[in-house]
Structure formats: C-alpha cells, structure tokens
Amino acid sequence: MFLKKVMVAGAMSALLGTSAYAGGHANCGPDGASVRILGSDFPAIQAVAGAAEANCSGGAGEFTVNLRDDTRDMMNQALTPNPAEYTSVIVANSTLTQLMNDDLVRPLNDLVDKYGANLKPHQLITIDGNVMAIAFMANSQHLFTRTDILEQAGVEGTPASVEEMVAAAEKIRAAGIMEYPIAMNMKVGWNVGEVFNLFYFANGGELFKPGTAEPAVNSAAGVAALNSIKSLLEYTHPDHLSHASNETQALWEAGQAAMAIMWGSRGGAVLDDEGSTAEVTENTVLSMAPTANGGSTPAATLWWDGVTIAKNVPDADAEASFAALVSGLNADLMKEHNDKAIWLIDGFQPGPAAAGVSATANAGAKPYPMIPFVNLMHNALGSELVDFYKGTESAEDALADVEAAYVTAAKEAGFLN
C-alpha cells in the first residue's frame, strides 16, 4: 500500500515568528520508565535531545541519548527486536517511510492528546489519519556565498543559477583566489543520491512514472541534472566524493570555499563566532538554492525532522519518551537555541540563518517524496552514479544502471512485479 505523500511546504509558511508558549513544569509521563533516544548528530537535534534529558531524566529509570552520523543505516535493525533497542528515533522525511515500511513506529494520536497541548497542527505529520511523527524543524539545501570573494573576483550580485555559479567560479579561479571555490555534499552513497534529486527536480524531473513504482530517471531531465552537477564539480575539491556535511562545513569555516550548496541546518553553525574567523562569518550570505537550465525551481528538497516512537517497546516507555521529547519543544528551547535551526516551534524568530531556507521554500522547491519505495531509488542513485562522476561512464549508461538496480530492489520488496 502506498503511503500518501506528506507535504512539508505548508509547514514552511509557519516559519514566521509566532507567539511564545509559556511552558510550566515538564510533564514527563510515567516515573521509572526507560527513555532511549536515537538521532543524527547535528546542533538542532542535540538541542532537542538535551532539553528532553534536562527536563525528564530525573524521574526516568533509564535515560540515554545516542546521536550519530549513520542513523539511517542502522535504525530499522535497532527497532526490529522486541523490545527495541531505542524507544524513540528522531527522523526526517525519508527515514520515517523507511521505518513505516517495516511497521516499526507507532501512531501517536493518544500521546498527542495527552501531552501535546503546546504542539501546533503543522507539526503533526499525519498519514491516513494517524499522527506518525512530530516535526520540530524544517530544512533544505541552499546557497552559501562569500560576498568578499565574489567582489574581489569581479562577480556582481549573488549567483542565482548553476550557470551563474560556474561563471563566478571560473572568475575566482582565473583571478588566482581559489582553485576550488565550490563545496557540495557529494560523499558516495546517500549524498550522491540526494544531490541528483536536487538537480533532477530543478530540471522538472519526477523519480517515478505517475501513480506507479516504475522508475523515470533515465530521461532528458536526468541527463540535464547530471550535466548540471558535473559542471559544478569542475570547481570542487578533488576529494568531493568523500565530502558530507561535516567536511563541507569545515571547508567553509576554514575559508576554503566561496560558494557552497549545503543544508540550512548548518547555517547557524557557520554564522556563529565559533570555529571560524570574522572574515568568513561576516561575509557569508545565505540565499536561495540555484536554479538550472533556465528553469525557476530551486535545486533543493524541502525536509522536516521530527520525533517518532518505537512500536516494539512497553507502553510506559513509549509514553515517557514522547512526553520527554515534546516537553522541550517550546519557547524556552527557542530562547537558547533559536539560531540552530529553522524551527517549527512557537517562539522561533527567523534570523540570518533562516534566510536561505525561507527563500528556497518560497521559490517553490519540491518536498522530498514520502513514498514507500523512494529509499530504494535513493540507494540506487547513490551507488550507480559514481562512475559517471569519475568519468568512466556516460550519463545515459549511469541512469540505465540506476533504473536496473532500482527495479531489482523494488521487485524484491514487492513494489514491482
């Protein structure tokens, strides 16, 4: 059964500041229960998990938090036993469907009724009438630029398209300022697949034939997307196939890039006064993701991150985990961590770190698809496009390999006959 697509675009309209929620003493659910949280390791999730622990660890029999870079690779295995290894996983669009495909997370309607007084409708990720996750932040890729370097190279204004980025990069290189002025998350695997999605959607592509699980990436839009990406890679560090968010952020903060397509969730860390220099932070501007080939759709996907509760855990542990995590989703969290994310929480005041995500969403970037077989396509893209980027295979052959790998996986999973 196909999951209904859940659109994050509506939630983006909630990015404007809202009235603060005056939270009282946290209601942490049953005493003595076990709370075991798994999530990705970046500042916003650190803040949410930290607030839950600060509010509710005192009454819990066990309270553990495991934040790591490879959660998507091990979360299903961790939630499959009964009891599951974790009581809650903090997920995003694609990883919710990954867990739901294996029936590993529980509906949250009753817990929302009991503990969700401070939650807003746009935070409730609802599928077929069931609240399956509580979204607390929005995210998207967008453009980071160094205005001082662009000016030094004679580039006027902020690049708005791939073609303008390439032209600016050539000027920077020709002026001897930087040999590799562009940074992108191109690490082999998930990041390679996601970068294709950005530019495929920007070129008007759809991953699947309408209403089916049949692949549709071996197309003119697919070839155009790969050529857009390769034109940018001419100006990235030779090790770009090993670069994910931590590496691109490090390049930026070290002053070794002038333009980057990175996640909005890195904006706060880049603009703060830690890990970099005033020269970098004061000249960094966050703006809309670039368009491609004369189109108007930004090369980005819209995402949310949110809370799920494991199905294979005792009800008391599930309740305590939900109560702890939502206890911190209020204005108190915003007072301390406002600039660490594009929050979907009352009290958020958008600042410079939110500018790129807001501009990208308002320009019509596409939400990442929430359909059961999208992870199979993403995996195929992440593995089969690498030869194209290494220059050993044509765009058409690489896309044919993607479709073949996807079809094999989709048949094994029962999505195709």
Side-chain angles (χ1 to χ4, degrees):
M1 183 178 69
F2 292 3
L3 296 177
K4 294 179 180 178
K5 290 186 179 181
V6 179
M7 309 294 281
V8 73
M12 291 291 178
S13 65
L15 294 180
L16 298 177
T18 53
S19 59
Y21 167 73
H25 180 70
N27 182 354
C28 295
D31 288 337
S34 177
V35 177
R36 306 183 301 279
I37 299 168
L38 174 67
S40 297
D41 189 17
F42 62 85
I45 293 181
Q46 293 166 6
V48 170
E53 188 168 13
N55 288 340
C56 295
S57 60
E62 174 188 18
F63 203 112
T64 61
V65 176
N66 183 9
L67 303 185
R68 49 196 294 160
D69 292 333
D70 60 347
T71 55
R72 71 172 62 86
D73 297 328
M74 47 82 71
M75 59 174 59
N76 285 57
Q77 182 179 356
L79 264 60
T80 297
N82 195 351
E85 186 175 351
Y86 297 95
T87 59
S88 173
V89 179
I90 297 177
V91 299
N93 308 39
S94 65
T95 43
L96 174 61
T97 56
Q98 180 179 321
L99 293 175
M100 289 186 65
N101 283 348
D102 290 344
D103 193 26
L104 295 175
V105 289
R106 64 175 65 198
L108 305 175
N109 302 52
D110 56 335
L111 297 174
V112 171
D113 290 342
K114 191 169 184 178
Y115 297 99
N118 61 318
L119 301 177
K120 299 302 177 185
H122 63 258
Q123 293 181 260
L124 308 181
I125 305 302
T126 304
I127 299 173
D128 293 333
N130 289 317
V131 179
M132 300 305 299
I134 305 299
F136 56 77
M137 64 170 283
N139 208 356
S140 178
Q141 306 86 355
H142 61 75
L143 186 63
F144 292 59
T145 56
R146 281 280 300 277
T147 57
D148 57 335
I149 294 176
L150 294 180
E151 183 178 350
Q152 185 182 351
V155 177
E156 296 183 3
T158 301
S161 67
V162 169
E163 294 74 21
E164 290 179 6
M165 286 183 67
V166 169
E170 178 55 35
K171 286 187 175 183
I172 293 168
R173 177 179 285 178
I177 301 169
M178 286 181 182
E179 184 69 13
Y180 307 114
I182 295 177
M184 296 168 59
N185 295 335
M186 284 295 297
K187 186 174 182 178
V188 172
W190 193 90
N191 285 279
V192 163
E194 176 64 354
V195 169
F196 176 83
N197 291 333
L198 311 187
F199 289 91
Y200 191 51
F201 297 155
N203 279 281
E206 295 287 343
L207 295 175
F208 307 99
K209 295 177 182 179
T212 77
E214 296 180 24
V217 297
N218 192 3
S219 63
V223 173
L226 290 180
N227 288 332
S228 292
I229 297 164
K230 198 161 191 178
S231 70
L232 295 170
L233 295 181
E234 294 294 326
Y235 299 92
T236 62
H237 192 280
D239 292 336
H240 55 252
L241 289 175
S242 67
H243 288 176
S245 291
N246 288 338
E247 289 76 23
T248 53
Q249 180 183 330
L251 285 173
W252 192 268
E253 293 189 315
Q256 296 179 19
M259 294 172 286
I261 297 174
M262 296 192 293
W263 286 99
S265 53
R266 297 285 166 159
V270 163
L271 293 178
D272 65 19
D273 58 359
E274 299 177 10
S276 189
T277 65
E279 181 183 23
V280 171
T281 57
E282 292 174 2
N283 291 290
T284 295
V285 171
L286 312 186
S287 60
M288 186 187 83
T291 59
N293 292 313
S296 60
T297 302
T301 49
L302 303 182
W303 291 72
W304 53 262
D305 288 81
V307 171
T308 65
I309 301 297
K311 182 175 183 179
N312 294 334
V313 295
D315 289 345
D317 293 351
E319 183 174 343
S321 300
F322 183 89
L325 283 161
V326 302
S327 74
L329 304 184
N330 56 41
D332 290 339
L333 186 74
M334 297 303 91
K335 290 175 184 176
E336 186 175 355
H337 302 289
N338 187 86
D339 293 333
K340 289 185 177 176
I342 314 303
W343 299 103
L344 300 173
I345 299 172
D346 267 0
F348 173 58
Q349 298 295 328
V357 173
S358 297
T360 299
N362 290 335
K366 304 298 185 183
Y368 186 89
M370 278 192 61
I371 44 183
F373 37 84
V374 72
N375 290 320
L376 303 179
M377 174 60 77
H378 201 131
N379 291 341
L381 291 165
S383 62
E384 301 299 332
L385 294 180
V386 175
D387 286 340
F388 169 76
Y389 295 127
K390 290 181 176 178
T392 60
E393 193 170 39
S394 70
E396 292 82 0
D397 287 346
L399 291 169
D401 289 347
V402 168
E403 292 202 345
Y406 165 77
V407 166
T408 298
K411 286 181 177 179
E412 289 177 354
F415 294 120
L416 289 173
N417 295 323

